[in-house]
Amino acid sequence: MNSLKIRFEKMGIHIPEILLPADAEMNKWAVVACDQYSSEKNYWKETEEIVGNSPSTLNLILPECYLEDDDKKDRVQKINSTMKSYMKENVFRKLDRGFIIVDRSTPYVESRQGMILAVDLEKYSFSKDTKSLIRPTEGTVLERLPPRIEIRKNAPLDIPHILLLINDREKSIIENAFIDSDSFETVYDFDLMQGGGHVKGKLISDESYLEKICTAFEKLFENNDMLFAVGDGNHSLATAKEIWEKLKSEGAPEDHPARFALVEVENIFNEGIIFEPIHRVLFDIDRQDFFEKLKTVYECEIRTVSSEAVMKDKVSENTREHRIGYVSDDEVGYISIKEPAIKLTYEVIQKFIDDYREDNTQVNIDYIHGEKALYDLSRRKGNLGLYLNAIKKSEFFDMIVAGGALPRKTFSIGEAEEKRYYIESRSLIS
C-alpha cells in the first residue's frame, strides 16, 4: 500500500479513512450543502423539524442563511462541541482506508456518479492565475472565509460538500469503477430529505483495485496540466487551505490530517452533470436607476417582454451580444449589451453590479440556484432578479486553463436540491 500511496500523492490524491454514522437514520443524518437556500430560512426550519433530536450533520454545519444573525458565535461554538460529543459518543464508525463510489439520483437526473477521496492541499491554490494541480473555477471572496475558518479551525471533523471535476472524456476512472460495483461493499443506500433524491455509496478498499484506479488517474494526469477543477465548494476548500497553511507555519508535521480535504470527484462528461446558471437577485434597489447607470457604462438596450418564457428564449438566442434577463414585481424583460471587451457575460454584469453596489450600499445581493427561487424573490417589490444562461461544460476546462478562475458564481452543477448532501466525514485529529 505504501508504494501506491506514493503514486497517488504525486497527483495530489490521498486515500482516506472515511467516517460514517454507526447507527443513525441516514435520511435525517444527511442535509444539503450549507450555502443552499441562503435566502430561504423556511427550508432550514423544515429541515430542523425533520431532524428533531436525531444525530444529523445539520448540527455540524452553519447554514449561510444564519450568517448575519446575532447568535452566529454561539452557533459556531455549538457546532464544535457537537462534533466532539459525536466522536466521544461513538456516533461514527471508521471504514477501511479507501474510496467510496457514489451514485446519486435527483428529481432531474437518474444517475450522477462520483468518487469520494481526499486531496492534498499542497497541490491546491485559490489564486486566480494559479498553475496548481487543483485549481479554483471561480474567484475567491476573501471576506467569505472568516466564518468558515471559525468553524473549521477548532473542528475535529472534516465534513465536505466540496465537488471536484475531472476532464475524463474516456470515462476511464469513475464510470469504469461502476462497471465492477457489484463486487464492492454497500456502505449506505437511502432517500435524501427535502426532495434531494436517492444516494448509494460503495466502498473500494481492495488494494489491487485501488491500483487500477491509480493507473487510470496517472494516464489522465499525463494529458492534463490541471487534474482537478473545483466544481463546488471553492470557499470551503480555500478555508481548509488557509488553516493548513497556518498549522504548517506553526510546525505541524507533513502528514497532519489537516493537510488533506475530503471531496467528491465527478467527471465533467458524466451524463448526470448538468451545468446550471447562477442567477442574481438585488434587494432594495431602484430598478430604473440601475438601468440608467448601466447605460452610462455599456452600450446597451433594455427591452420588456410578455413572460418569463419569452425572456428565456431571448436570452438563449445565438447572438454576439451579452444578454441578461430581468424580472421585477411588475415587469419582465432582457438587457442587451453590445460587445464589450469582456468576453464572458457573467463577468460583464458582475463587474457592473460590484461597482454599482459601492455607490449604493443599501443594495444587497444573493446568488440564486433555480428559476423558481429566482422568480419568487424577484417578484417582491423593491427586488430585481437577473437571469443568466449556463456556460458550456465542453469548454469549461479550456476556459480555466487559458484564463484562470472565472468570476464568482458563474456556474452551478444542478439545481439547489441536487447539491451535495453531507454524509461522509474524516477525523482532523492528529
Side-chain angles (χ1 to χ4, degrees), residues 116-149:
I116 307 295
L117 49 79
V119 293
D120 185 353
L121 294 168
E122 287 290 308
K123 304 290 187 180
Y124 162 71
S125 168
F126 55 81
S127 63
K128 177 175 170 53
D129 299 317
T130 181
K131 301 302 180 185
S132 59
L133 200 62
I134 306 166
R135 301 185 198 178
T137 53
E138 64 174 10
T140 302
V141 184
L142 297 180
E143 293 79 11
R144 293 184 63 193
L145 299 186
R148 291 172 166 83
I149 290 173

Side-chain angles (χ1 to χ4, degrees), residues 57 145 277 333 417:
T57 54
L145 299 186
E417 60 267 45

Side-chain angles (χ1 to χ4, degrees), residues 304-322:
T304 59
V305 296
S306 59
S307 68
E308 286 90 351
V310 175
M311 175 269 289
K312 287 173 59 179
D313 288 342
K314 290 295 184 181
V315 172
S316 299
E317 285 180 356
N318 187 14
T319 174
R320 295 181 67 181
E321 299 173 345
H322 292 290

Side-chain angles (χ1 to χ4, degrees), residues 8 11 13 117 173 213-221 228:
F8 270 124
M11 299 180 288
I13 299 170
L117 49 79
I173 301 172
I213 292 172
C214 184
T215 299
F217 264 116
E218 286 169 337
K219 289 181 179 177
L220 186 67
F221 180 43
F228 298 108

